[in-house]
Amino acid sequence: MSNTEQTLSIIKPDAVERNLDNEIKQIFIKNGFNIFKEKKIQIEKSEAEKFYKVHETKPFYSDLCSYLSSGPIVAMILEKKNAVADNRKLMGATNPKDAEEGTIRKKYGISIDKNSVHGSDSVENAKIEIDFFFKD
Ligand code: UDP
Ligand code: MG
């Protein structure tokens, strides 16, 4: 399908640690996403700092990068029509307390930092983030 779009999703350490990765993958599949590629990896803090560079001036930047590199994560290329926006909707608000019923963060998120999933916020950033994890 020519209007298929790709986005980057990450199942974050808090969710992988609780063995929720298969359950969360099933939610993506049930909601019409194809998991085009995936890998389970642990990244260095220096790599997390590159990934989250857009947040480097934020007070939570260092803790965020320590957290993302604290344990295994599952990085995935998800695809469907409107993948970027539809994934953001399925994830729910950044703070699980504010996330709508039926969203991944509402169901699994522990706190604003341990919110179980990452998703690209624009088509442009999706390309950059996909390259970051899957370039080679
Ligand atoms: N974050 C945090 N404290 C905050 C805001 C954000 O720890 O006050 C973390 C949270 O894990 C979030 C990530 O930083 O998912 C990136 O923040 P962003 O605003 O881009 O949220 P997202 O796009 O993940 O919803
Ligand atoms: Mg973001």
Side-chain angles (χ1 to χ4, degrees):
M1 208 164 52
S2 60
N3 57 357
T4 293
E5 188 174 279
Q6 293 188 333
T7 191
L8 183 88
S9 170
I10 301 173
I11 303 175
K12 292 183 172 180
D14 68 272
V16 175
E17 187 177 76
R18 289 176 286 153
N19 288 313
L20 294 170
D21 37 329
N22 280 324
E23 213 170 307
I24 292 173
K25 279 192 245 172
Q26 288 310 311
I27 293 175
F28 289 125
I29 292 164
K30 243 184 257 159
N31 282 273
F33 291 89
N34 175 46
I35 301 173
F36 177 62
K37 284 187 185 175
E38 64 171 278
K39 59 175 161 188
K40 194 175 202 170
I41 45 165
Q42 182 163 358
I43 62 173
E44 299 289 337
K45 187 175 183 187
S46 59
E47 297 175 287
E49 285 166 348
K50 272 182 221 154
F51 182 75
Y52 274 130
K53 190 154 175 55
V54 60
H55 291 305
E56 70 183 332
T57 62
K58 309 272 173 64
F60 57 82
Y61 178 64
S62 179
D63 286 348
L64 171 62
C65 296
S66 295
Y67 165 64
L68 192 70
S69 57
S70 67
I73 59 175
V74 179
M76 293 168 288
I77 301 175
L78 300 182
E79 52 183 25
K80 76 186 285 292
K81 189 179 168 195
N82 294 321
V84 172
D86 285 359
N87 180 41
R88 293 291 302 189
K89 196 163 180 214
L90 183 57
M91 286 163 56
T94 306
N95 190 339
K97 278 197 289 189
D98 302 328
E100 280 180 50
E101 247 0 286
T103 63
I104 294 171
R105 283 169 165 171
K106 174 74 179 183
K107 191 160 186 203
Y108 302 112
I110 295 168
S111 57
I112 191 163
D113 47 327
K114 296 184 175 174
N115 58 8
S116 303
V117 281
H118 167 85
S120 308
D121 63 3
S122 67
V123 173
E124 191 192 355
N125 284 335
K127 291 198 173 85
I128 295 167
E129 293 181 354
I130 285 169
D131 259 15
F132 184 90
F133 282 102
F134 294 97
K135 192 150 188 146
D136 36 62

